[in-house]
């Protein structure tokens, strides 16, 4: 994955899990009916050395019924592999993610507490937030798909199950 870049990871999370038209929502919820909602987040206070060394960057959460756990896992892994190859990332997904990303930045500029949280949370991570933001927003869709591929190519997926499941 290379150097940890929180802005690129947040942008990827937006493509994968932000909203009703995101890649994982469409596949896992709409197509297969395996969960009510699915979301992704990055913990800004998580140890960045662990993140860099082991590519543990995002936590994707969803809930499903116990009889659907195996099917959910298979659909999730297949969908993530397809995302890595750019097969299921539509141009509209990228445009929606860019719009959402820009909205977050506008909010950060206008809401002091939100801006303070972002700046304090991501301190010491590398390039300035504004420079990375500009880079991402200037990328064409093919470059974004390459960025997604590069982030996901060496990723490992750990699945944690909470609740009464026999397996």
């Amino acid at each position: 994955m290379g150097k940890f870049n929180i802005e690129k990871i947040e942008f990827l999370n937006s493509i994968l899990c932000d909203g009703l038209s995101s890649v994982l929502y469409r596949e896992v919820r709409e197509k297969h009916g395996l969960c009510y909602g699915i979301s992704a987040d990055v913990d800004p206070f998580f140890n960045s050395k662990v993140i860099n060394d082991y590519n543990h960057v995002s936590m994707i959460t969803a809930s499903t019924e116990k009889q659907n756990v195996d099917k959910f896992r298979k659909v999730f892994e297949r969908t993530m592999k397809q995302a890595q190859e750019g097969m299921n990332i539509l141009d509209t997904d990228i445009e929606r993610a860019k719009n959402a990303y820009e909205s977050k930045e506008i909010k950060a500029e206008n809401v002091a507490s939100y801006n303070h949280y972002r700046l304090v949370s991501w301190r010491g991570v590398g390039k300035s937030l504004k420079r990375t933001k500009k880079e991402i927003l200037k990328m064409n869709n093919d470059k974004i798909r390459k960025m997604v591929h590069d982030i996901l190519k060496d990723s490992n997926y750990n699945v944690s199950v909470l609740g009464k499941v026999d397996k």
Side-chain angles (χ1 to χ4, degrees):
M1 182 174 88
K3 187 172 181 181
F4 175 62
N5 186 310
I6 191 66
E7 293 299 311
K8 290 180 179 179
I9 299 303
E10 281 192 340
F11 191 80
L12 169 65
N13 285 349
S14 185
I15 290 171
L16 293 175
C17 292
D18 193 11
L20 303 178
S21 58
S22 64
V23 172
L24 283 166
Y25 190 91
R26 272 194 321 263
E27 189 68 19
V28 177
R29 163 85 166 109
E30 294 299 320
K31 188 174 177 184
H32 294 280
L34 294 172
C35 67
Y36 180 73
I38 188 163
S39 63
D41 200 6
V42 177
D43 183 348
F45 301 105
F46 195 71
N47 182 328
S48 63
K49 173 143 178 55
V50 171
I51 292 170
N52 282 327
D53 289 350
Y54 301 105
N55 292 334
H56 291 163
V57 177
S58 292
M59 179 172 59
I60 297 174
T61 58
S63 59
T64 191
E65 295 178 357
K66 67 181 179 179
Q67 67 268 20
N68 292 333
V69 170
D70 287 335
K71 185 175 182 183
F72 174 86
R73 182 188 52 78
K74 288 174 187 170
V75 169
F76 174 80
E77 288 175 358
R78 183 182 65 238
T79 304
M80 292 297 286
K81 181 67 174 165
Q82 290 171 343
Q84 177 198 344
E85 299 305 321
M87 295 167 42
N88 56 0
I89 298 175
L90 308 173
D91 289 345
T92 53
D93 295 328
I94 294 170
E95 293 309 311
R96 180 191 44 76
K98 282 183 177 183
N99 289 336
Y101 188 71
E102 230 171 352
S103 295
K104 281 184 194 174
E105 293 307 312
I106 290 168
K107 183 178 179 182
E109 291 170 5
N110 293 308
V111 179
S113 61
Y114 185 79
N115 193 28
H116 174 74
Y117 170 78
R118 283 181 57 80
L119 291 175
V120 169
S121 301
W122 308 133
R123 71 185 181 279
V125 190
K127 295 181 194 178
S128 78
L129 298 176
K130 287 188 185 274
R131 196 163 90 204
T132 302
K133 174 193 163 224
K134 286 179 185 176
E135 285 175 16
I136 291 171
L137 292 175
K138 286 182 183 177
M139 290 175 147
N140 66 33
N141 292 356
D142 289 335
K143 285 187 179 180
I144 294 215
R145 284 184 182 89
K146 170 133 179 40
M147 178 185 79
V148 169
H149 173 78
D150 291 344
I151 292 170
L152 293 177
K153 71 180 177 186
D154 295 324
S155 294
N156 295 313
Y157 308 111
N158 296 313
V159 177
S160 297
V161 178
L162 302 174
K164 285 183 98 176
V165 178
D166 297 331
K167 296 179 184 181

